[in-house]
């Protein structure tokens, strides 16, 4: 298997699909791989109008991934498969939104990005006009992001004039915690 540019977990795919920006992944990263476990997690919640991941030409579904037995407990099956696949394949990046899995991936030397990183990079490349409307839509759909992280991303994108350290401006709806 050649090294994929990016191996993705389920949540970022759900988040990007929910705001109509799944197409940013191949435009920004080219080859994207997911383990079968991620597809299995994604499919049950997929709405009729949302894309079928298995049919996306830019996406490779890897059927068999040997799970690294050294991975700590507390990770979901998709997260375990994503981290293991990224290590085994030599992926440049791993796309994960959950904090625990991100920390484990970093400890293993993997380069981690999240859905907000994708939006920020898309803004920097002129693929989207702003990140704030996309973030507001995700939050309206029940996604959670730490207020300081939101302020930092919005500031980096030029969508927030104040310093990211001044996160008090963020409305209360920015701290909801439900997921699809």
């Amino acid at each position: 298997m050649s090294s994929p540019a990016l191996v993705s977990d389920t949540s970022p795919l759900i988040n990007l699909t929910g705001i109509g920006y799944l197409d940013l992944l191949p435009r920004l990263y080219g080859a994207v791989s997911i383990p079968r476990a991620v597809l299995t997690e994604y499919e049950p919640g997929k709405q009729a109008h949302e894309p079928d991941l298995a049919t996306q030409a830019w996406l490779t579904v890897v059927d068999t991934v040997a799970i690294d037995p050294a991975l700590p407990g507390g990770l979901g099956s998709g997260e375990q498969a994503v981290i293991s696949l990224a290590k085994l394949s030599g992926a440049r990046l791993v796309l994960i939104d959950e904090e625990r899995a991100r920390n484990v991936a970093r400890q293993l030397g993997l380069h981690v990005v999240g859905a907000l990183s994708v939006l920020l990079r898309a803004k920097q490349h002129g693929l989207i006009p702003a990140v704030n409307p996309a973030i507001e839509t995700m939050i309206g759909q029940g996604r959670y992001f730490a207020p300081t992280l939101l302020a930092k991303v919005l500031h980096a994108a030029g969508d927030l004039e104040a310093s990211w350290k001044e996160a008090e401006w963020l409305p209360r709806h920015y701290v909801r915690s439900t997921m699809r």
Side-chain angles (χ1 to χ4, degrees), residues 66-148:
I67 303 300
D68 183 345
L71 289 176
L75 297 177
S77 61
E79 294 163 346
Q80 290 176 355
V82 164
I83 292 169
S84 296
L85 177 59
K87 281 182 60 182
L88 291 170
S89 67
R92 288 193 331 249
L93 296 168
V94 60
L95 178 59
I96 302 177
D97 280 345
E98 289 81 9
E99 185 176 3
R100 173 141 170 73
R102 291 170 65 89
N103 290 338
V104 168
R106 282 190 193 105
Q107 289 170 355
L108 295 171
L110 297 172
H111 298 282
V112 180
V113 295
L116 296 182
S117 301
V118 172
L119 295 175
L120 180 58
R121 188 166 183 215
K123 164 92 187 287
Q124 292 167 341
H125 283 79
L127 300 175
I128 62 173
V131 299
N132 192 36
I135 291 171
E136 287 182 1
T137 300
M138 284 192 286
I139 290 168
Q141 294 170 344
R143 306 315 187 248
Y144 168 80
F145 304 100
T148 52

Side-chain angles (χ1 to χ4, degrees), residues 31-43:
V32 177
S33 293
I34 61 171
R36 174 71 56 191
V38 165
L39 185 62
T40 301
E41 290 177 353
Y42 176 89
E43 290 297 321

Side-chain angles (χ1 to χ4, degrees), residues 3-36:
S3 296
L6 181 124
V7 174
S8 182
D9 191 25
T10 313
S11 293
L13 298 174
I14 291 170
N15 289 337
L16 294 169
T17 297
I19 58 173
Y21 281 152
L22 185 64
D23 68 319
L24 291 176
L25 294 178
R27 294 169 72 190
L28 290 169
Y29 303 105
V32 177
S33 293
I34 61 171
R36 174 71 56 191

